[in-house]
Amino acid sequence: MEQPAISDYGFLSDCRSGALVSRDGSIDWWCPDRFDGSAIFARVLGPQAGHFRLAPVGAGGPGHRVERSYHRDTLVLRTVHHTPDGSVAVTDALAAEIGARAHQLGMDSPGVLIRVVEGLRGRVRMALDYVPRPAHGLLTPYLHEQPDGSVLATAGPVVLVLGCNGPPLKAGRDRVYQEFEVSGGQVVGFDLAYGEAYGKPPVRLDPLTTLAETIQAWEAYRETHKYPGRFPELVRPSATVLTGLTYARSGAIAAAATTSLPEQLGGERNYDYRYSWLRDFSMTLRALWVAACPHEASRLFAWVTRSIGRIGDRPVPVVFGLEGERDLTEHECPHLAGYAGTGPVRIGNDAWCQRQLDVPGEIMTSVWRLRDYLGNTFDEELREMVLGLTEQVASTWQLPDRGMWETRDEERHYLSSKVNCWVALDRAVKLADRLGERADPRRWAAIRDEIRETVLREGWNDRIGAFTGAFGSTELDASALFLPVVHFLPAGEPRMRATIAVIERDLSTEDGLIRRWNTDPAGFLLCSFWLVECLVMTGEQQRAEALFQRMAGYANDVGLFSEQIDLTTGAQLGNTPQALSHIGLINAAWRLTDPRAF
């Protein structure tokens, strides 16, 4: 079987876990317990690692055509298959809890995958191929037919029940393969329920009732979010994706639903993105504020403050597990070949133990953004966090680190890290009157100004005519585009304007895809959306708008972005759906709406 393109996958979510379903009807990724848990289907990373396909017999052959769309403002995916014998729709969803509405979505998700087949025209022969392989493909379960026509699968810590409201299911040795016919007007529903061998058992749900409830839950959720800006047809779906990547129990947002989808085919930058990054925090909070509502922003902020805990001598990690776990020690899965044979497949992410000096700036920016909601006097925990982060920056800003892109070679004095140190102290000075008697704004301001002078002196390269990625380096880095976004320099300041021009000249493709650095093999969507914001801030509104529309065109047929775009083919690369890409779109759309925003 040919590996589907990354853009061939749609995304399902119950705000606890995420699944990927291909255009040909195969669920090739699902971690039912939580986003960063263990997969029961992982064929996206290895051909033998499990899948659940539901499609017409002979799908992909002559006369077969597929149309897909989400029910508006939901992550309920409807795939219509047109065949020579007729047409059939398959609607896929991860079930919401019965009766859940608005912000209740995902708080107690039942862990059930719903698949409903509806005959539209003619008579279509369908094939069900259910191959569960828990533990990222390491386990092959026993399958047992049940008196009610369902099939029980047991292996290790996992229990699964596949049910149907139609004919009884027949179990093979290690899979269920079954063909059945659907006529126009006929509906057949399937429910796949996840449970724990030594804990909560699977919960069987009626597929048709549950599908209707899930659609209503999503629609009610999105109705509470009013986006007043331009490009709502693009922003609202991206906001829905951010909601879908939210782990409702804590409020954390996963950077992506997947692990190890490669940034370059044949490369080695295949990382686990199913965690929540503090580096993305202020950008994420900004996007939530614009396109969602204060509820999501306040829950994310509360999760961050709880996860950080009391500030000590250790640097705050750049990434946490979705319930605030710190130790995300990375390991490889040699039994998985990787997407399109591109390994290694990694579980965990060793970025958690890197020194990342930019983290406090992200948090302090968010505190400043929420200041009117946090009150004129901060409570003890918030005050201690802000004071701890500020003093940590004051004492460590001169150290090298791994930088925004989490390099795994030597530490350097990265421009973006130093600028975020400036941001942290700048916001601390502005917040000093809320921090009590231990606030020291005069000293903080002096260090802030020293950082600024250092960045302007050491970060600028006369020969290149631009700010470069690290002090003393001649290598461009697109992260310099975020300097105006955080108000370090105005976009129209001569050196900043020159840097934007050089990045456009040397890191941009003809249609505006921006690479992060000179040797980066792909365009990084977030950087292109940063360029949109910079162009708006330099008064080039028309160019910014044209670039925004071109970048939006890289979404797949159901509006999803991965992390990067292949420069030659335009294919999506990297983990998907990627929160940062959708965040970049939302923030750029708002900048186009209000150039003075933020």
Side-chain angles (χ1 to χ4, degrees):
M1 171 188 166
E2 184 178 348
Q3 182 103 42
I6 291 173
S7 60
D8 279 352
Y9 286 103
F11 173 52
L12 311 177
S13 172
D14 56 8
C15 296
R16 163 184 168 179
S17 66
L20 298 186
V21 53
S22 68
R23 284 178 62 85
D24 71 350
S26 185
I27 306 284
D28 288 347
W29 180 256
W30 185 30
C31 304
D33 185 45
R34 51 187 259 181
F35 291 106
D36 54 354
S38 181
I40 61 169
F41 304 126
R43 185 161 68 171
V44 70
L45 297 175
Q48 309 305 318
H51 65 276
F52 179 9
R53 188 166 183 264
L54 187 57
V57 173
H64 180 239
R65 181 169 57 88
V66 172
E67 298 173 335
R68 298 191 299 179
S69 62
Y70 283 113
H71 285 262
R72 185 178 183 273
D73 289 337
T74 79
L75 289 177
V76 175
L77 184 64
R78 178 180 168 89
T79 303
V80 178
H81 299 270
H82 300 285
T83 77
D85 299 318
S87 298
V88 64
V90 179
T91 302
D92 293 316
L94 290 178
E97 47 271 58
I98 299 298
R101 295 294 183 269
H103 300 299
Q104 297 169 331
L105 182 63
M107 289 297 185
D108 191 24
S109 298
V112 179
L113 171 67
I114 299 296
R115 313 198 73 180
V116 174
V117 182
E118 178 187 1
L120 302 177
R121 178 182 58 83
R123 190 170 182 83
V124 179
R125 189 159 187 81
M126 299 290 292
L128 178 152
D129 189 22
Y130 167 64
V131 188
R133 294 291 183 269
H136 301 302
L138 283 173
L139 290 172
T140 301
Y142 291 100
L143 301 182
H144 307 279
E145 295 176 8
Q146 302 298 293
D148 64 356
S150 64
V151 171
L152 172 70
T154 58
V158 174
V159 178
L160 301 166
V161 178
L162 175 63
C164 175
N165 67 357
L169 298 170
K170 301 297 181 183
R173 183 174 181 274
D174 63 355
R175 72 198 304 157
V176 175
Y177 181 86
Q178 206 153 317
E179 296 186 6
F180 59 97
E181 290 189 340
V182 179
S183 301
Q186 185 179 0
V187 178
V188 181
F190 299 88
D191 61 297
L192 175 59
Y194 160 81
E196 302 166 357
Y198 306 103
K200 184 179 178 181
V203 178
R204 290 289 312 281
L205 298 173
D206 175 74
L208 303 187
T209 301
T210 303
L211 178 61
E213 281 282 334
T214 299
I215 291 172
Q216 290 180 47
W218 275 102
E219 290 176 341
Y221 193 99
R222 295 306 310 163
E223 274 303 308
T224 65
H225 303 70
K226 305 297 184 183
Y227 169 69
R230 299 183 63 194
F231 310 105
E233 74 285 358
L234 298 172
V235 170
R236 286 183 67 87
S238 285
T240 301
V241 172
L242 286 188
T243 300
L245 288 170
T246 299
Y247 182 69
R249 293 179 180 178
S250 67
I253 295 181
T258 57
T259 178
S260 301
L261 295 187
E263 297 178 15
Q264 179 185 13
L265 295 182
E268 293 188 353
R269 290 182 60 87
N270 321 318
Y271 299 123
D272 194 346
Y273 277 11
R274 300 171 299 152
Y275 308 110
S276 195
W277 263 256
L278 268 60
R279 174 184 305 107
D280 308 343
F281 185 44
S282 69
M283 289 180 282
T284 305
L285 200 73
R286 178 182 168 199
L288 289 175
W289 204 259
V290 165
C293 75
H295 178 82
E296 281 75 21
S298 61
R299 290 203 72 221
L300 178 63
F301 186 85
W303 171 81
V304 165
T305 57
R306 183 182 182 90
S307 297
I308 289 173
R310 190 177 292 277
I311 307 294
D313 294 333
R314 293 179 178 274
V316 176
V318 69
V319 58
F320 286 89
L322 299 178
E323 294 184 357
E325 300 89 346
R326 286 200 176 208
D327 188 345
L328 305 178
T329 300
E330 188 177 293
H331 68 274
E332 296 182 2
C333 298
H335 67 286
L336 293 172
Y339 176 82
T342 299
V345 170
R346 295 182 171 99
I347 304 299
N349 197 308
D350 279 345
W352 77 273
C353 53
Q354 291 184 346
R355 177 161 55 218
Q356 298 284 356
L357 297 178
D358 52 358
V359 170
E362 287 287 316
I363 299 165
M364 295 294 289
T365 294
S366 300
V367 174
W368 175 248
R369 190 179 305 282
L370 292 176
R371 63 192 182 279
D372 292 340
Y373 293 85
L374 294 172
N376 292 328
T377 304
F378 291 170
D379 64 35
E380 181 184 0
E381 288 187 9
L382 178 57
R383 186 171 63 250
E384 287 298 314
M385 183 186 76
V386 171
L387 289 167
L389 289 171
T390 303
E391 292 298 341
Q392 191 172 91
V393 170
S395 62
T396 64
W397 74 269
Q398 294 175 311
L399 297 174
D401 74 342
R402 297 290 182 180
M404 177 174 285
W405 310 123
E406 296 168 11
T407 59
R408 297 200 172 193
D409 53 6
E410 63 184 274
E411 293 185 335
R412 296 177 176 85
H413 292 282
Y414 284 99
L415 179 83
S416 59
S417 299
K418 304 304 184 189
V419 168
N420 257 325
C421 288
W422 173 89
V423 168
L425 289 168
D426 180 72
R427 305 321 186 244
V429 169
K430 294 174 179 176
L431 291 166
D433 61 349
R434 308 180 191 212
L435 299 176
E437 60 185 21
R438 288 166 52 205
D440 195 353
R442 182 173 296 180
R443 178 170 60 88
W444 296 343
I447 299 171
R448 175 198 63 189
D449 295 343
E450 182 184 359
I451 296 172
R452 180 182 177 83
E453 291 170 6
T454 303
V455 169
L456 295 176
R457 182 180 65 250
E458 303 293 337
W460 176 262
N461 187 295
D462 277 324
R463 185 162 68 84
I464 303 299
F467 289 106
T468 54
F471 290 177
S473 173
T474 59
E475 187 170 4
L476 287 171
D477 192 315
S479 63
L481 292 172
F482 96 128
L483 270 61
V485 176
V486 297
H487 307 297
F488 182 82
L489 279 177
E493 192 270 345
R495 286 167 295 183
M496 194 64 238
R497 188 182 284 273
T499 299
I500 295 169
V502 172
I503 287 174
E504 277 202 90
R505 185 191 70 200
D506 293 353
L507 295 184
S508 177
T509 64
E510 191 171 312
D511 70 346
L513 280 170
I514 301 293
R515 295 175 295 148
R516 286 171 291 179
W517 52 78
N518 298 72
T519 57
D520 197 0
F524 201 84
L525 283 163
L526 174 66
C527 297
S528 297
F529 287 123
W530 277 344
L531 179 58
V532 170
E533 294 202 58
C534 287
L535 292 176
V536 173
M537 289 187 281
T538 58
E540 299 178 82
Q541 185 86 8
Q542 286 188 327
R543 277 220 302 142
E545 204 165 304
L547 176 60
F548 176 83
Q549 295 282 19
R550 289 198 300 274
M551 293 307 103
Y554 282 107
N556 73 358
D557 59 320
V558 290
L560 301 179
F561 291 109
S562 65
E563 183 179 31
Q564 298 190 83
I565 302 296
D566 186 280
L567 299 177
T568 303
T569 65
Q572 294 192 5
L573 292 170
N575 287 303
T576 195
Q578 179 79 12
L580 266 185
S581 299
H582 291 276
I583 288 165
L585 181 146
I586 292 168
N587 289 337
W590 189 246
R591 182 74 68 181
L592 285 161
T593 300
D594 181 1
R596 298 167 298 176
F598 311 108

